[in-house]
Amino acid sequence: MAKTPLLGTLGLALLIASAGAGRAEGLVADAVKPLLEGTTLSGTALSGGLLPQPADVKDEKAQAVTAGAMLVPFEQSADAYTLSGEDDVATFTFALDGPQVSAGGTLNLAYVNAVSVLPDTAKMDIEINGRDAGSFAIASPNGVLTEKIAVAPELLKAGRNVVRVRARQHHRVDCALDATYELWTKLDPAQSGFATAASSAFTDFDSLLSVRRNAAHRTDVRIVVPGALSAEALNEVAPVLQSLILFLNRDDVTVSVGDKPGTGPGIDLVMAMDRAGAATLAKLGIANAPRGLSVQASTEADRARVVLRAANLGDINAAVLSAVKGPMADGLKSGIFEKGRGALVVDAGERRLLKETGYETRVFSGRLSRTDFTVDMPADFYPAEYATIDLRLHAATSPGLEQTAQLLVRVNDKVVKSYPFRNREGEQFDGKRIELPLRAFHPGANRVELLAELPTAADAACRPEERDDGKPRFILLDTTAIEVPALARIGRLPDLAALAGKAYPYGGGKPFDLVIDRADGQSAAAGLTMLSRLALSARAPLTAKIAIGVPSEGTGRDALVVSSQNDFAELGTSGKAAFPDADEVTASVADLLKPDQVQTASVSDGAAGTGNDTADLLQAFHNSTAAEEDELSFGSRAQLWFSAASRSFGRWLSYEGDNTARVAPHGEGALVTLSQMRSPDGLATWTVIQANSPRDVDAGVQRLVEPAVWRDLQGGTATIETASLSLVSLPAADRYVADLADRSPGNLRRVAAAWFSDNFQIYVVLVLACLGLFAVWLGLTVPRKGVRSDR
């Protein structure tokens, strides 16, 4: 039986999973994690450090643990817990079972806010499942404060419950627009959640939704594989792991591999195959676990255990299919397939309303209204200047705004459009068309922000006591829409944004290879973590065949390569395979060990070896004798100036800043490097994750898949720096066509228009050439066709 085709059936089963219910269980953290080391007024981003926690909060938590209260955590990752600006909304979910719903409980919101927030007017409103659950004043700038809101059973439901938190806050002393960026309130993910006295053990799949995060605020999934790791064992793990990750619907999962269960909060996935699993089950005390996929009791109260008992890969696929159609179905539909959670998945020619993201119309009375959502573009979309995405604005402004009032539209953190509100008497917009350039978007997820700057004359006086929050300045209706034009559809690679947003080119049921160069736990964990994150981006299991060693050429199969061997550091060099075979490596080592081997020093440090001594010496000579800029002729200077201007104009067209940072070759300050390239035979695409050791590749991948980093992947190469763990990206130097499924005349026309917009110089040359040919034609034709005299 084939090892991977049934994953396509598994993806179909996930797509048709039905209505949801869930259970919840969790414990209050054993040790209180401090929050926010240092406060800053410099903007919306906060320091990643933590503050010491007040003693009274610790006492409350200790009392809660003593009383047996269970804290069911929110499912969202840590970067979703900040509310910024004058009016912001955050949405959280948590899962409960029937007894917990009947018992009711309290909603615990532990928070700290910026010192610039005016406590007299700051307020946080709470909704649970669309119904008002209360509010409280925002007044905790000096440390973490936990607000506990009693929740009656009638506000709750079995399965996933949705909490909407709205923070309204104003500045103490500054009434400028820029001051609104200094306003923030941050919830503590470790202490926030739903506290209930009705405990629940991890005994079924729905209860897994309430598993707590570890000390690093990550969802820990440990693969327990008895015996030595092999490609066969990893291929057995892949479909089970991907289905579990999709069911959890968490984007902060970290995967580890070992022969023993993990410790602390998390999930153990025990692979008990018939060939070696009996001893493992007996050692864990669950020898009576049924065949197939099941949830079994664990010895640790805050750790869940999922067990897979099967004979072969065919049995595994059957067990997973049974689970996703049965006990997992409700959780899948209420989780990863649930609509209205801040994202619009669009395609060519579609119109989507803002209310489809979960946005609700609200009146705004401050100075800067901010609304953000995500537009998920197709993976093979070609961004260029051949059409526009239309924002159909349904909104209204109040009288009395200053002439500088305007609406700004930001796409991926860059302002792409501004529309002034010129009518000081107020105006109403009923579908006002605002054109957004296609070039500002990229395949996959795009963050769109609508910022309404609404200054009034009273703001200049800055008297907070005279603020009238009952007089609104702006209203944005949920009927505001996004209209997507006909798109040029062509797969162009490298494109890490498409990889992160849509798992392109590995999604859509397309078979590919996941190649791990070493059969150790850390390398395997890195590969499985990346596979899991890509499955979450694709919203379906990926059809991956895992191999240990080096990728195969000539198969035409795309590959995801995890490498920590120095022999593989230089990829895609001209005239050589990206990965040398054993003979090449042996020959290279033998050459280096020859006693008479002499290496000629280059004339200049900047010379690059090409393997040809004469060429190397000539290149070094030219480099060392190159003229300084002030010694160049006027023509050479003009050529350099025009070249720089062309590059600058190209960056402007692509909405790129003047980013002069360059990614150093791997090994020079890089923890891990992620890059896409064409395979050496030119038949496939390889995405290579490169580090210096298994430990580095594991740590680097864990950093790459963090939500804040994953969203920012773009270009052709991305590097995580060793010292700062910051992401540095480089645009793709050259792109190639990986797929052109639509060959209709309309799509080919749009692709041509998009290409000419990227290569406008050629377009200008062609226009001038056509004008020249027309002039020549006129010069040859008019004398022959003009008035002729008989004389």
Side-chain angles (χ1 to χ4, degrees):
M1 180 175 291
K3 292 191 175 184
T4 55
L6 285 180
L7 283 175
T9 308
L10 174 57
L12 179 60
L14 288 172
L15 289 172
I16 62 175
S18 58
R23 301 186 61 189
E25 186 274 338
L27 292 176
V28 179
D30 297 328
V32 179
K33 289 297 173 185
L35 181 67
L36 298 178
E37 179 178 330
T39 55
T40 176
L41 302 180
S42 61
T44 59
L46 301 179
S47 170
L50 301 174
L51 275 177
Q53 185 175 219
D56 58 340
V57 178
K58 295 181 180 179
D59 294 341
E60 287 181 6
K61 285 200 70 181
Q63 294 171 5
V65 173
T66 303
M70 313 296 291
L71 186 67
V72 180
F74 294 140
E75 296 178 312
Q76 283 63 38
S77 55
D79 64 334
Y81 287 74
T82 301
L83 295 96
S84 57
E86 294 177 303
D87 194 339
D88 198 9
V89 174
T91 302
F92 305 101
T93 57
F94 63 92
L96 299 178
D97 61 12
Q100 291 171 329
V101 170
S102 301
T106 61
L107 187 70
N108 291 2
L109 297 177
Y111 76 97
V112 65
N113 59 268
V115 296
S116 56
V117 173
L118 179 65
D120 300 342
T121 60
K123 185 179 179 182
M124 188 171 289
D125 301 320
I126 313 298
E127 287 184 4
I128 299 180
N129 296 323
R131 300 173 64 180
D132 184 25
S135 61
F136 59 86
I138 300 175
S140 182
N142 299 318
V144 179
L145 175 66
T146 301
E147 290 285 347
K148 298 182 178 181
I149 302 172
V151 181
E154 52 266 25
L155 294 181
L156 303 171
K157 64 180 181 180
R160 280 185 168 96
N161 294 260
V162 181
V163 179
R164 287 174 59 88
V165 179
R166 181 182 181 184
R168 289 178 286 175
Q169 47 200 1
H170 305 98
H171 205 284
R172 288 177 180 268
V173 295
D174 195 344
C175 297
L177 284 173
D178 291 343
T180 61
Y181 291 96
E182 300 176 0
L183 304 172
W184 52 260
T185 297
K186 184 175 178 64
L187 302 178
D188 179 7
Q191 301 181 54
S192 299
F194 184 80
T196 175
S199 62
S200 175
F202 295 113
T203 56
D204 58 20
F205 284 100
D206 288 335
S207 65
L208 300 177
L209 299 176
S210 62
V211 69
R212 292 195 300 111
R213 292 172 172 84
N214 59 20
H217 302 296
R218 304 292 294 273
T219 301
D220 175 36
V221 176
R222 183 167 180 83
I223 312 298
V224 181
V225 181
L229 284 177
S230 64
E232 181 184 16
L234 295 178
N235 278 297
E236 292 165 347
V237 167
V240 187
L241 176 63
Q242 292 182 79
S243 300
L244 180 61
I245 298 302
L246 291 170
F247 175 76
L248 293 175
N249 193 30
R250 297 189 183 185
D251 57 4
D252 59 359
V253 172
T254 177
V255 179
S256 60
V257 180
D259 58 359
K260 297 179 181 179
T263 58
I267 300 174
D268 291 324
L269 175 56
V270 182
M271 300 297 296
M273 304 302 293
D274 287 353
R275 62 179 179 271
T280 299
L281 294 178
K283 188 181 299 183
L284 297 176
I286 50 176
N288 59 347
R291 298 192 68 81
L293 194 61
S294 62
V295 180
Q296 300 295 315
S298 176
T299 55
E300 294 192 41
D302 57 355
R303 194 164 187 89
R305 180 177 291 165
V306 179
V307 179
L308 188 282
R309 292 194 66 182
N312 51 44
L313 190 58
D315 287 351
I316 291 176
N317 281 300
V320 173
L321 284 171
S322 177
V324 300
K325 291 179 179 178
M328 283 186 174
D330 292 344
L332 288 166
K333 185 169 184 181
S334 64
I336 195 166
F337 299 131
E338 177 71 14
K339 297 181 178 179
R341 297 283 173 82
L344 294 176
V345 181
V346 301
D347 208 334
E350 292 185 341
R351 187 176 191 269
R352 291 286 184 266
L353 300 179
L354 196 56
K355 65 181 177 182
E356 296 179 44
T357 68
Y359 172 81
E360 297 178 356
T361 299
R362 61 179 184 265
V363 175
F364 182 75
S365 58
R367 293 157 289 172
L368 180 64
S369 169
R370 296 193 290 179
T371 302
D372 63 88
F373 55 94
T374 298
V375 175
D376 204 350
M377 299 294 290
D380 59 349
F381 147 65
Y382 190 163
E385 300 294 345
Y386 57 90
T388 61
I389 290 181
D390 293 336
L391 173 68
R392 293 291 181 176
L393 182 65
H394 290 263
T397 61
S398 65
L401 297 181
E402 292 287 278
Q403 290 287 353
T404 55
Q406 62 178 338
L407 176 72
L408 298 176
V409 182
R410 291 202 301 194
V411 178
N412 298 322
D413 298 324
K414 296 179 177 64
V415 176
V416 300
K417 197 71 175 182
S418 63
Y419 179 81
F421 298 144
R422 301 191 185 279
N423 191 343
R424 302 195 65 185
E425 301 302 319
E427 53 188 325
Q428 179 174 327
F429 305 98
D430 298 316
K432 171 65 180 178
R433 181 189 182 194
I434 299 178
E435 298 178 338
L436 308 180
L438 272 179
R439 190 182 294 278
F441 294 79
H442 57 64
N446 298 265
R447 185 166 182 257
V448 179
E449 296 175 273
L450 307 180
L451 297 92
E453 296 183 350
L454 308 163
T456 64
D459 291 341
C462 198
R463 298 188 180 93
E465 68 278 1
E466 298 179 4
R467 183 189 305 276
D468 184 7
D469 291 335
K471 184 179 180 181
R473 302 186 187 187
F474 181 69
I475 181 172
L476 178 66
L477 303 181
D478 59 9
T479 53
T480 296
I482 289 285
E483 294 180 350
V484 182
L487 300 173
R489 307 298 290 267
I490 182 172
R492 299 187 309 148
L493 294 175
D495 193 341
L496 295 183
L499 176 78
K502 290 288 192 177
Y504 188 76
Y506 306 113
K510 182 180 179 182
F512 69 98
D513 296 326
L514 170 55
V515 183
I516 304 172
D517 65 349
R518 298 185 184 186
D520 61 80
Q522 291 176 317
S523 297
L528 291 175
T529 298
M530 181 63 73
L531 180 65
S532 302
R533 190 60 186 86
L534 290 174
L536 202 60
S537 297
R539 296 172 179 255
L542 303 180
T543 313
K545 179 181 179 181
I546 302 178
I548 295 176
V550 296
S552 301
E553 299 181 36
T555 62
R557 289 169 61 96
D558 295 332
L560 176 64
V561 183
V562 178
S563 174
S564 58
Q565 298 189 23
N566 292 332
D567 293 335
F568 300 159
E570 296 298 330
L571 302 173
T573 54
S574 60
K576 290 188 177 182
F579 290 90
D581 56 28
D583 293 338
E584 290 179 347
V585 174
T586 304
S588 298
V589 174
D591 289 341
L592 289 175
L593 294 178
K594 287 180 180 179
D596 57 345
Q597 185 73 27
V598 178
Q599 296 184 0
T600 305
S602 61
V603 177
S604 170
D605 294 337
T610 65
N612 183 310
D613 293 341
T614 303
D616 289 345
L617 290 172
L618 285 174
Q619 183 61 46
F621 174 79
H622 289 309
N623 291 342
S624 62
T625 58
E628 299 294 335
E629 185 175 354
D630 55 357
E631 301 174 359
L632 295 176
S633 64
F634 176 78
S636 298
R637 292 184 185 181
Q639 184 177 0
L640 290 175
W641 184 87
F642 279 116
S643 177
S646 177
R647 289 194 298 268
S648 177
F649 185 62
R651 288 195 299 268
W652 175 79
L653 280 178
S654 300
Y655 295 94
E656 298 175 356
D658 187 12
N659 183 14
T660 57
R662 296 189 60 83
V663 176
H666 185 78
E668 299 179 14
L671 177 65
V672 69
T673 300
L674 173 67
S675 56
Q676 273 188 337
M677 64 201 70
R678 192 188 285 270
S679 62
D681 56 18
L683 301 177
T685 296
W686 288 0
T687 302
V688 180
I689 304 167
Q690 169 68 29
N692 289 328
S693 68
R695 179 181 178 181
D696 287 352
V697 78
D698 188 23
V701 167
Q702 303 302 340
R703 176 61 174 167
L704 278 172
V705 300
E706 287 184 11
V709 176
W710 188 260
R711 286 194 302 265
D712 290 339
L713 289 178
Q714 58 181 332
T717 301
T719 291
I720 299 296
E721 295 182 340
T722 301
S724 64
L725 293 182
S726 59
L727 173 70
V728 180
S729 298
L730 270 183
D734 295 303
R735 287 186 172 179
Y736 58 90
V737 176
D739 181 39
L740 181 58
D742 185 359
R743 298 178 182 273
S744 64
N747 187 59
L748 294 177
R749 178 189 62 79
R750 289 187 292 272
V751 169
W755 187 85
F756 275 120
S757 70
D758 280 344
N759 301 273
F760 61 91
Q761 301 95 332
I762 297 177
Y763 180 78
V764 171
V765 170
L766 288 177
V767 170
L768 293 177
C770 290
L771 290 175
L773 290 174
F774 181 68
V776 171
W777 176 81
L778 284 179
L780 296 176
T781 303
V782 170
R784 299 177 182 178
K785 302 296 182 180
V787 177
R788 184 173 59 186
S789 173
D790 292 336
R791 296 181 179 177

